[in-house]
Amino acid sequence: FYVPASSFGPEDVIDYELGWKSTMFDGRVRTQLGGYYMVYEGFQVIVGDPAVPLFSSIVNVSGETVLMGLEGSAQMRFGQWAGDIGMSLSHSELGEFYAADPRLPRTGTCNVETGPASGNCLNLEGNTQSYAPELTFNIGLQYDFLLPNGATLSPRIDYSHIDESYTSIFNNEALGDRLEARNLVNLKLTYQVDDWTLAAYAMNATDQTYIAAVNAGLRYAGPPRQIGLNLVKTF
């Protein structure tokens, strides 16, 4: 059957940003630091259509929605050592509006601005944006062994942490909206001589099992451990 598309209004945002970059120790260290504060009017979200629960529609959040955060990164090279580090802190709060969670039994109508609040018509004010972890962190370290004939052998290790987050704006942990934090380790060994580069790698080296996303009630696992070789010639 035919269901006409629902209408929605524009989304306006005022974005305040401040950044700083530097180079230190005779160019051996480069750093970047940035902060942002974003205020949305009419923030657009996708929710289940209260009139037709099997369909989704875009609605505008009536209250102010705020996203804010800090991001920092640095890259270093000291002789045969090289490394990089990065971190991000973020926080989000939806403005006041009502939405019907299509996973819960219907208990009546649900107006975006007035509700009323009921079993599945929920006031989402203060909830976090989906897939928005409050903390992410990564660090990588590499050492170049100098070999005869100008060749180099470079082992490298990378570690990343992604904080817990929610997969929907309903933030309902009981219904599986919460993704657990995960820690991933990648390993790489590179041999380079002249125009040739041979690299052996292990992604997710510890073979951590984790859920990376949820869509339509289906849970999608993150990639398992992957091992491989890359051979590259530069022309």
Side-chain angles (χ1 to χ4, degrees), residues 1-162:
F1 58 93
Y2 171 75
V3 177
S6 59
S7 61
F8 56 92
E11 174 185 271
D12 299 308
V13 58
I14 299 177
D15 181 13
Y16 305 92
E17 294 190 15
L18 183 64
W20 175 76
K21 295 182 178 181
S22 73
T23 302
M24 301 181 289
F25 302 105
D26 295 325
R28 295 184 179 90
V29 178
R30 293 181 298 169
T31 62
Q32 304 84 35
L33 180 65
Y36 61 90
Y37 187 89
M38 308 170 72
V39 181
Y40 285 83
E41 295 285 352
F43 188 66
Q44 296 170 352
V45 296
I46 299 177
V47 297
D49 192 316
V52 187
L54 295 180
F55 290 84
S56 295
S57 60
I58 299 176
V59 301
N60 296 95
V61 177
S62 57
E64 285 188 350
T65 293
V66 175
L67 281 68
M68 68 184 80
L70 291 171
E71 298 175 340
S73 58
Q75 304 80 42
M76 296 152 279
R77 165 67 76 170
F78 290 95
Q80 293 160 249
W81 287 97
D84 55 79
I85 188 171
M87 186 175 67
S88 174
L89 298 171
S90 66
H91 180 74
S92 60
E93 289 185 7
L94 294 175
E96 182 178 7
F97 80 113
Y98 294 84
D101 190 335
R103 300 167 297 181
L104 299 175
R106 293 190 65 189
T107 53
T109 59
C110 187
N111 183 278
V112 174
E113 296 186 1
T114 61
S118 61
N120 81 322
C121 185
L122 309 172
N123 185 351
L124 301 186
E125 181 180 17
N127 281 13
T128 64
Q129 174 68 306
S130 56
Y131 295 103
E134 291 191 350
L135 170 67
T136 61
F137 173 80
N138 64 274
I139 185 171
L141 189 63
Q142 172 181 317
Y143 185 82
D144 298 330
F145 291 95
L146 305 181
L147 305 179
N149 302 318
T152 59
L153 183 66
S154 306
R156 179 180 177 88
I157 182 171
D158 289 281
Y159 164 83
S160 64
H161 169 84
I162 301 175

Side-chain angles (χ1 to χ4, degrees), residues 185 201-210 222-228:
V185 176
Y201 63 87
M203 311 295 289
N204 187 8
T206 60
D207 201 23
Q208 182 178 5
T209 301
Y210 63 95
R225 179 167 52 215
Q226 302 174 69
I227 299 174

